[in-house]
């Protein structure tokens, strides 16, 4: 077939000479043409002997250098298939010579000829040690000699390739045509063959052939040469288990060609059946086929040998080599001389492969010099052999466990060196199990009492094979396997110090591999570590390997720094990071210095073992946060002596002092440029810290001595968990001291002692005793200080502000449950955060959840001998005074939960995520605190100040750590508990997650909307008992005194459309869900006025249930009703009460709610005189007169009509009936907002409300002691909220956008109830329709009654018109009057900006 044209991608490129890049599967005639561009002086004719297909493929390659090359020539009348016995190759040689001489196209004497001789070894003894191997090579050469002698004698100008196909074409039974040895003669050495030995022996086999041929007669003449061409498979070199796949002829031809392009002694690239095979081209400097002579080949044994390496010793001149005075019980007080046993786990670097090999003796790399092993070897002594064991023997000559001599892990000399050559992390658990068993069974050691050091080092082989199976060698699996091994040691081996040496930075091995001026057996290197060495520079594969190397290291840090192995005092694991970054050692010429490596250039030489031992020892003595993480083998490391004042091996715990902490973060850099988004904020970007709160943040009692109760009033602000800056992180753990480690220009932190207005308090503006209502004032002061202080660049600096409040509120909650209600707590906190949000640029606010007060109670009351129990009521009355299992204590739990829910609801409302440079994040670590229990079962007071209420420095240190950890944890995964006894390591930002976490960079979605099936409320009231006797005065009426509920009105009171309809019929009246009269379910799931009252009196009567008329109870409302219909409803209602045998009309207290007026407004334009304010009030007075005359003991709620005039025609809305309100509200239809008709409607709406507001003060309704009319004004200025997209939130309304949904009814019930508990004249005249389960107010102990004008101490002539919002916005849409549109959105935005 004619050659196909080459693409641009097929051009030759230069990399150690020109190359043509193509895949084996693509290798066809089209790809070969480019080879002719590479140039070649020698123009050989080709005659192939052996495999016809391979011959043809190679012939096609050569054809592009010389188009006149002959096709593979077979002897006349013969096929190219060889004889069955390889020793008969000479018969084929005779046929070949005859054919060449007779071929008319060949000038036999003058043409150059390339002849390939193929053979294989069925016995696989080429993988055996040198004696059998050399015997095999000599045997094969004897069998080939007759053929080579004949060709040498008969054929002039011949280049002969001896091609070994032992590994290239699959198992031996496939290659019977080319075998030189019988498969019935198995090699006895194979049972002992490992991957390392296989690779070394393969290289040695190749070396044996090349050494033999280079010195043979076949390379003495200029007209004849024979060159060994190995075709070893990468798979065969890597595994004895997997069968080598058969290579296709084209691939073999390409690899044979590439072998011919490599100098003798440098043919080191094995076949890889899975990857592209780049074709090498002759270079201009060396355009010829390589022979032993033009390669300047010298056998490895003939190369100039350096001096036999002298083992590297050391000298130790430490003044104190003594053990502790008594055997230590803590691993954190362990001196070197206390160590009695040493052990090690790992791979060939710990096994000592090649550590004692003489230069050039590659085969000796298979010897495991365990006595020279850096971490556990014990040959000779420190003066001649530097190892960790020999260093420790200088401190304790009786040390046991070190390995001596040579041998595998199961030899006696290995002792507790259980490293296995070739092992990976997945093999560590088996090693650990074997080591533990050996230690337990060895009588030379006291397993329980002796202190042990075990060094673990693994990972090189994992990285070397990573690209072949990325799942198997993933960073997660790597650390999981280390964890499994450490878990075994942790669970079973007492008194142990484990050195976990970080996996080394392996990529620098490429320098040695790529430097051709330095001799190394590159076939061995490439085969042992293909994933590091086989990829070109700047390739994605190499970048991935480097990244995985770092992730191995990072995940190892995370495992150990989690504190998993610091659960007791007799065991620890410490990372020794000196291998984290490793420089390739260089010689005086600036080339990689291979004297630091064993003869295979992969394993350590004795010199490297010695220097690694010194580096490990020094790492062990360095504080954990100051360990050397870079090792330069070139520099001989002096052996450090233990510090005389602190002579212990360094652990995570003893590397800090007092209440300090370790910050082990490697990357502490800020962003490349100051971030503009709070969601891209790194710790080092923080320049200012500040805090708001109460005495906890102010630091009361942090530094007080245990018996100095009076000192609790001292404010130790410099030690405060969130804003203190005393000392340094080494001895004082606070958030600023942690952040200072990232940015030493940090400012804002407090120092020393003093009040909030003291200079040294700086931006810690917390005030002892502060409650939520004080927080806004603190926020204003803080903002002013930041603006005025020259140390703060207010607009440019990034700030962290920590807010913690609520404890003082709970301490006083029982004194006024309304004042300290969850709703008020919510409002006060919101006000403070609003100030920060409005005023402070570039800020991240930590809103810390407060501690459950039960913790304080347990500590305080559980230690009467240590805590000032006599002062309980003065210190925190509502928490410390209630009896166990009392109703008061139960209510405290409820209000605590309500406060905590308020925090969450406020943050998750999204209110503070409207700016890119500001966010509030709830840090929940403080929510659930576990205090350690002492042996006598009492809570541990060592975490508290002398008052047993305030945390001391020990406690604050844990708070700081937990806060920091929370700040780095993504939302949705934050730690929400604090175990004071647990070790809390300081987390670090990671490469993938370097930011302080916010909702956005956590990919977190706020879940503020509860299930639409549940709009219940939490009952938080602490006083729910009825009056001691049935009251006779309506002005002494408590909620529990109500026995009967009733209502009248229109479709809103009937709850039309409260739930979606399942058909196209008219909407259903869900009376059981009605805000003022519904009684379905219970308060937990349905918020209605009767369900609230049920909490006070479970036997209340009159409420509606379900949807049927039969269960309407005392709900007399009718659809479409107007004020004129109310007298009739009143008579109907009175009649039902009189006929109900369960109601005692004379004695039962009745609560009746009247709400009407929307329909009057909607139709007022049809007949203005009939719908005037005077007529409206006249009808209501008639109604009230009926109740006044007919009903004893009655409390009448008259709910003001809503503002309807804000509704005007708009567009949009996802409603079944987009303009239902307008279509049912005649007077809104088609009017423009500025039209006279619209203005008249607004005035009428105002007149209705104004006239109705005076009903409470009418003289005729104030004559009876048992009757009251109270106007509830919450509907005056109520507005609907916006959804996340800025539109009206339709979840409050039914599917017709006309009536209220169940959610809307719940909000109306809450608003009505709260109005009833507010004094007349001071009632709330608006309602913020936002969901919260904790908005219900409670009667206060001082005033447990429903408010009337009289008990509000408000006389009629003292009443004032309720204030109104000038820009009244969009009112809540209700029955016959609701529509949602663009006007609603615009008006809501307007009022929100007020």
């Amino acid at each position: 077939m004619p050659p196909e044209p080459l693409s641009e991608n097929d051009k030759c490129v230069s990399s150690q000479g020109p190359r043509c890049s193509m895949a084996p599967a693509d290798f066809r005639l089209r790809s070969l043409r480019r080879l002719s561009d590479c140039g070649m002086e020698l123009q050989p004719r080709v005659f192939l002997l052996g495999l016809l297909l391979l011959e043809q493929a190679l012939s096609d390659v050569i054809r592009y250098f010389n188009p006149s090359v002959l096709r593979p020539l077979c002897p006349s009348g013969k096929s190219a298939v060889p004889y069955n016995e390889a020793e008969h190759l000479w018969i084929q040689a005779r046929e070949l010579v005859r054919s060449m001489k007779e071929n008319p196209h060949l000038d036999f004497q003058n043409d150059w000829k390339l002849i390939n001789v193929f053979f294989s070894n069925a016995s696989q003894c080429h993988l055996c040690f040198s004696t059998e191997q050399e015997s095999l090579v000599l045997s094969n050469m004897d069998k080939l000699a007759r053929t080579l002698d004949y060709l040498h004698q008969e054929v002039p100008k011949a280049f002969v390739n001896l091609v070994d196909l032992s590994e290239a074409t699959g198992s031996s039974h496939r290659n019977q045509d080319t075998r030189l040895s019988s498969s019935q003669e198995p090699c006895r050495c194979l049972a002992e063959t490992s991957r390392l030995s296989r690779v070394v022996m393969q290289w040695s086999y190749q070396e044996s052939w090349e050494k033999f041929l280079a010195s043979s007669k076949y390379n003495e003449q200029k007209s004849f040469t024979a060159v060994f061409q190995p075709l070893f498979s990468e798979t065969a070199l890597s595994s004895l288990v997997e069968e080598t796949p058969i290579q296709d002829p084209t691939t073999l031809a390409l690899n044979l060609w590439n072998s011919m392009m490599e100098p003798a002694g440098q043919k080191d690239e094995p076949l890889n059946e899975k990857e592209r095979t780049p074709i090498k081209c002759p270079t201009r400097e060396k355009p010829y086929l390589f022979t032993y002579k033009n390669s300047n080949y010298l056998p490895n044994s003939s190369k100039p040998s350096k001096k036999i390496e002298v083992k590297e010793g050391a000298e130790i001149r430490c003044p104190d080599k003594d053990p502790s005075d008594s055997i230590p019980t803590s691993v954190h007080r362990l001196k070197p001389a206390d160590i009695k046993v040493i052990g090690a786990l790992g791979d060939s670097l710990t096994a000592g492969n090649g550590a004692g090999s003489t230069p050039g003796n590659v085969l000796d790399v298979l010897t495991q010099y365990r006595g020279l092993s850096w971490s556990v070897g014990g040959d000779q002594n420190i003066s001649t052999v530097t190892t960790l064991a020999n260093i420790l023997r200088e401190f304790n000559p009786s040390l046991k466990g070190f390995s001596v001599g040579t041998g595998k892990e199961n030899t006696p000399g290995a002792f507790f060196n259980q490293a296995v050559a070739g092992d990976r992390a997945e093999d560590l658990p088996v090693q650990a199990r074997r080591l533990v068993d050996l230690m337990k069974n060895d009588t030379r050691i006291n397993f329980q009492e002796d202190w042990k050091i075990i060094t673990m080092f693994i990972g090189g082989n994992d990285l070397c094979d990573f690209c072949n199976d990325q799942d198997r060698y993933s960073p997660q699996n790597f650390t999981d396997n280390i964890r499994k091994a450490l878990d075994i040691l942790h669970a079973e081996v007492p008194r142990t110090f484990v050195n976990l040496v970080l996996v080394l930075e392996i990529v620098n091995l490429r320098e040695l591999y790529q430097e051709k001026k330095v001799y190394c057996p590159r076939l061995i290197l490439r085969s042992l570590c293909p994933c590091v060495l086989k990829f070109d520079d700047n390739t994605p594969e190499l970048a991935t390997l480097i990244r995985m190397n770092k992730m191995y290291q990072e995940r190892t840090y995370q495992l150990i720094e989690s504190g998993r192995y610091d659960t007791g005092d007799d065991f620890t694991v410490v990372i020794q990071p000196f291998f984290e970054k490793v420089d390739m050692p260089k010689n005086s010429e600036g080339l990689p210095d291979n004297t630091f490596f064993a003869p295979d250039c992969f394993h350590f030489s004795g010199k490297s073992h010695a220097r690694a031992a010194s580096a490990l020892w020094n790492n062990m003595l360095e504080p954990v946060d100051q360990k050397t993480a870079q090792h330069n083998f070139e520099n001989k490391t002096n052996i450090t002596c233990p510090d005389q004042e602190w002579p212990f091996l360094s652990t995570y715990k003893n590397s800090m002092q007092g209440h300090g902490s370790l910050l082990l973060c490697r990357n502490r850099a800020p962003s490349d440029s100051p971030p503009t988004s709070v969601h891209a904020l790194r710790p080092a970007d923080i320049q200012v810290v500040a805090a708001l709160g109460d005495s906890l943040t102010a630091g009361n009692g942090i530094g007080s001595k245990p018996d100095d109760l009076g000192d609790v009033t001292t404010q130790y602000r410099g030690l405060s968990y969130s804003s203190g800056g005393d000392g340094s992180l080494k001895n004082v753990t606070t958030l600023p001291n942690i952040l200072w480690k990232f940015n030493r220009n940090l400012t804002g932190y407090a120092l020393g002692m003093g009040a909030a207005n003291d200079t040294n308090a700086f931006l810690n503006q917390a005030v002892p005793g502060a409650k939520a209502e004080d927080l806004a004032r603190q926020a204003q002061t803080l903002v002013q200080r930041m603006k005025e202080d020259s140390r703060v660049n207010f607009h440019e600096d990034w700030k962290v502000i920590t807010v913690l409040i609520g404890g003082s509120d709970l301490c006083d909650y029982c004194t006024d449950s309304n004042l300290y209600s969850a709703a008020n707590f919510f409002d006060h906190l919101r006000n403070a955060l609003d100030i920060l949000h409005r005023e402070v640029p570039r800020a991240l606010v930590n809103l810390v959840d407060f501690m459950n007060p039960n913790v304080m109670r347990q500590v305080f009351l559980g230690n009467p001998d240590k805590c000032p129990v006599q002062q309980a009521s003065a210190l925190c009355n509502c928490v410390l005074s209630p009896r166990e299992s009392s109703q008061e204590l139960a209510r405290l739990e409820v209000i605590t939960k309500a406060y905590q829910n308020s925090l969450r609801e406020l943050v998750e409302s999204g209110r503070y995520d409207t700016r890119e440079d500001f966010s509030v994040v709830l840090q929940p670590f403080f929510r659930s605190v576990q205090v350690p229990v002492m042996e006598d079962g009492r809570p541990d007071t060592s975490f508290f100040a002398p008052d047993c209420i305030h945390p001391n420095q020990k406690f604050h240190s844990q708070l700081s750590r937990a806060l920091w950890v929370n700040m780095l944890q993504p939302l949705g995964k934050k730690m929400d508990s604090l175990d004071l006894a647990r070790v809390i390591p300081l987390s670090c930002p990671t490469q993938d997650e370097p930011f302080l976490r916010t909702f956005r960079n956590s990919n977190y979605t706020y879940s503020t909307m509860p299930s639409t099936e549940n709009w219940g409320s939490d009952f938080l009231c602490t006083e729910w008992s009825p009056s001691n006797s049935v009251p006779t005065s309506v002005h002494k009426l408590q909620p529990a005194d109500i026995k009967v509920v009733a209502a009248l009105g229109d479709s809103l009171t009937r709850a039309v459309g409260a739930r979606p309809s399942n058909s196209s019929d008219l909407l259903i009246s869900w009376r059981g869900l009605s805000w003022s009269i519904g009684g379905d379910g219970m308060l937990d799931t349905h918020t209605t006025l009767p369900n609230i009252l049920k909490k006070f009196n479970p036997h209340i009567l009159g409420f509606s249930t379900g949807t049927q008329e039969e269960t309407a109870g005392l709900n007399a409302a009718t659809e479409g009703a107007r004020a004129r219909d109310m007298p009739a409803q009143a008579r109907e209602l009175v009649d039902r009460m009189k006929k109900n045998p369960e109601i005692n009309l004379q004695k039962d207290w009745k609560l009746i709610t009247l709400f009407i007026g929307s329909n009057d407004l909607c139709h007022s334009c049809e007949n203005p005189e009939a719908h005037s304010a005077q007529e409206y009030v006249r009808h209501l007075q008639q109604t009230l007169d009926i109740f006044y005359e007919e009903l004893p003991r009655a409390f009448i709620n008259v709910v003001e009509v809503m503002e309807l005039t804000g509704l005007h025609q708009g567009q949009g809305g996802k409603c079944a009936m987009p303009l239902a309100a307008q279509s049912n509200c005649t007077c809104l239809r088609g009017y423009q907002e500025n039209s006279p008709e619209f203005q008249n409607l607004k005035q009428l709406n105002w007149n209705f409300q104004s006239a109705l507001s005076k009903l409470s003060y009418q003289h005729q309704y104030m004559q009876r002691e048992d009757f009251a009319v109270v106007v509830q004004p919450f509907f005056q200025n109520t507005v609907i909220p916006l959804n996340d997209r800025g539109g009206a939130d339709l979840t409050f309304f039914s599917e017709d956008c006309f009536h209220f949904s169940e959610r809307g009814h719940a909000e109306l019930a809450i608003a009505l109830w709260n109005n009833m508990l507010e004094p007349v004249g001071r009632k709330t005249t608006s309602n913020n329709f936002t969901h919260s389960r904790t908005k219900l107010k409670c009667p206060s102990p001082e005033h447990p009654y429903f408010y009337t004008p009289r008990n509000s101490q408000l006389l009629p002539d003292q009443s004032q018109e309720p204030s109104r919002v000038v820009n009244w916005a969009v009112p809540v849409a209700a029955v016959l009057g609701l529509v949602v549109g663009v006007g609603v959105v615009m008006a809501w935005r307007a009022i929100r900006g007020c």
Side-chain angles (χ1 to χ4, degrees), residues 246-361:
I246 298 177
Q247 299 283 345
D248 67 275
T250 300
T251 300
L252 290 175
L254 292 177
N255 281 277
L256 176 55
W257 169 262
N258 286 346
S259 181
M260 293 162 60
M261 293 296 101
E262 291 290 347
Q266 299 180 36
K267 302 177 188 295
D268 53 30
E269 292 191 15
L271 297 175
N272 189 317
E273 61 278 0
K274 297 179 182 179
E275 299 178 5
R276 294 169 60 93
T277 302
I279 299 178
K280 299 178 181 179
C281 298
T283 65
R284 292 182 179 180
E285 294 78 15
K286 295 183 178 180
Y288 32 77
L289 302 180
F290 280 100
T291 67
Y292 292 104
K293 288 189 179 294
N294 66 28
S295 299
N296 296 320
Y297 173 78
L298 285 175
N300 185 45
S301 58
S302 303
K303 291 180 173 62
S305 180
K306 305 176 182 63
K307 283 205 257 179
I308 294 178
E309 186 179 355
V310 178
K311 297 182 179 69
E312 188 169 281
E315 187 176 10
I316 297 179
R317 296 181 176 178
C318 298
D320 180 11
K321 296 182 181 180
D322 296 328
S324 302
D325 294 337
S326 60
I327 297 176
T329 57
S330 172
V331 70
H332 312 295
R333 308 284 291 183
L334 196 61
K335 295 177 67 174
D338 296 325
I339 302 298
K340 295 186 178 181
V341 179
I342 191 169
L345 307 175
D347 53 26
S348 53
L349 291 179
T350 300
N353 282 78
S357 301
T358 55
N361 190 356

Side-chain angles (χ1 to χ4, degrees), residues 650-668:
S650 290
T651 68
Y652 289 93
K653 286 187 176 181
N654 68 22
S655 293
M656 53 190 176
Q657 300 171 8
H659 298 288
S661 296
L662 285 173
L663 185 72
L664 302 170
C665 306
R666 266 66 60 192
N667 183 4
R668 302 183 186 181

Side-chain angles (χ1 to χ4, degrees), residues 1228-1243:
L1228 279 176
R1229 188 182 306 148
Y1231 288 160
Q1232 298 299 316
E1233 186 171 353
N1234 294 323
S1235 67
E1237 295 84 355
F1238 196 83
Q1239 294 303 316
N1240 289 336
L1241 185 61
K1242 286 175 65 174
Q1243 183 61 48

Side-chain angles (χ1 to χ4, degrees), residues 1184-1199:
L1184 295 174
D1185 288 347
I1186 293 170
F1187 290 145
Y1188 186 79
E1189 294 169 1
E1190 298 286 340
L1191 295 180
R1193 297 192 174 182
F1195 185 105
I1196 313 298
N1197 284 320
V1198 179
V1199 179

Side-chain angles (χ1 to χ4, degrees), residues 1034 1037 1042 1052 1075-1076 1089 1150-1156 1176 1180 1184 1194-1203 1248-1257 1268-1278 1307-1327 1337 1345-1349 1351-1352 1362 1364:
V1034 72
L1037 188 63
I1042 299 295
L1052 177 59
W1075 57 294
S1076 61
L1089 181 60
K1150 308 157 199 75
L1151 177 64
I1152 303 172
T1153 302
L1154 168 61
F1155 176 62
I1156 200 69
Y1176 172 72
L1180 294 190
L1184 295 174
F1195 185 105
I1196 313 298
N1197 284 320
V1198 179
V1199 179
E1200 284 191 14
V1201 66
M1202 68 191 69
E1203 290 266 11
F1248 272 27
Q1249 293 178 337
S1250 179
L1252 195 63
S1253 66
K1254 296 184 174 70
L1255 283 179
S1256 295
Y1257 311 109
V1269 175
V1270 181
V1271 175
Q1272 310 296 359
F1274 68 89
F1275 251 146
Q1276 277 186 16
N1277 301 303
T1278 299
E1307 291 297 323
L1308 296 185
I1310 294 169
L1312 172 59
W1313 172 260
N1314 289 346
N1315 254 183
M1316 293 167 66
L1317 294 178
E1318 294 170 333
V1320 177
R1322 296 198 296 266
K1323 291 184 182 289
T1324 302
T1325 59
S1326 64
N1327 183 47
K1337 293 186 176 182
Y1345 317 117
F1346 290 132
Y1347 276 96
T1348 66
N1351 66 26
S1352 299
R1364 297 180 180 273

Side-chain angles (χ1 to χ4, degrees), residues 1038-1195:
Q1038 298 188 38
D1041 297 328
I1042 299 295
K1043 298 291 181 66
V1044 181
V1045 290
L1048 51 163
D1050 51 28
S1051 55
L1052 177 59
T1053 301
R1054 288 172 64 94
V1056 171
R1059 284 188 175 174
S1061 174
N1062 294 324
S1063 68
S1064 59
D1065 298 334
L1066 294 176
L1067 296 178
I1068 297 172
S1069 295
W1070 297 86
R1071 293 181 182 87
L1073 301 177
S1074 173
W1075 57 294
S1076 61
I1077 190 62
D1080 277 355
M1082 59 186 66
L1083 183 60
D1084 290 345
T1085 55
H1086 302 88
T1087 304
T1088 65
L1089 181 60
N1091 281 349
I1092 298 170
L1093 289 168
K1094 287 180 190 178
K1095 288 291 185 178
F1096 296 87
N1097 177 13
H1099 306 293
I1100 197 168
L1101 302 173
F1103 54 81
S1104 304
T1105 59
T1107 61
Q1108 302 302 314
E1109 289 288 345
E1110 294 78 7
T1111 58
L1114 298 181
N1115 184 347
T1118 58
E1119 293 187 46
R1122 305 181 192 181
R1124 67 190 181 194
D1125 302 310
M1126 291 303 98
Q1129 288 190 22
R1131 294 188 184 95
E1132 170 68 20
L1133 192 59
V1134 171
D1135 189 52
R1136 289 187 196 181
M1137 288 185 182
K1138 290 179 178 180
K1139 292 179 180 179
N1140 191 326
E1142 295 183 274
I1143 298 176
N1144 187 326
L1145 192 66
Q1146 296 300 319
K1147 293 185 177 181
D1148 289 346
W1149 278 100
K1150 308 157 199 75
L1151 177 64
I1152 303 172
T1153 302
L1154 168 61
F1155 176 62
I1156 200 69
S1158 297
N1159 290 318
D1160 297 80
L1161 289 169
C1162 282
H1163 297 280
S1164 62
C1165 58
E1166 300 170 0
N1167 187 348
E1169 291 183 1
H1171 295 92
S1172 66
Q1174 291 78 9
E1175 283 297 299
Y1176 172 72
V1177 172
R1178 185 175 67 82
H1179 293 311
L1180 294 190
Q1181 284 178 332
Q1182 292 174 353
T1183 304
L1184 295 174
D1185 288 347
I1186 293 170
F1187 290 145
Y1188 186 79
E1189 294 169 1
E1190 298 286 340
L1191 295 180
R1193 297 192 174 182
F1195 185 105

Side-chain angles (χ1 to χ4, degrees), residues 593-633:
D593 190 345
N594 60 2
T595 65
F596 285 91
F597 295 88
D600 64 351
C601 290
F602 182 78
H603 293 91
F604 288 168
S605 68
K607 183 160 63 173
S608 287
H609 275 271
R611 299 194 179 180
S614 300
L616 171 59
W617 168 259
N618 290 347
N619 252 182
M620 291 166 62
L621 295 178
E622 292 168 339
V624 172
D625 60 343
Q626 299 175 34
K627 289 185 181 293
T628 302
Q630 185 163 358
H631 185 58
N632 189 336
F633 279 101

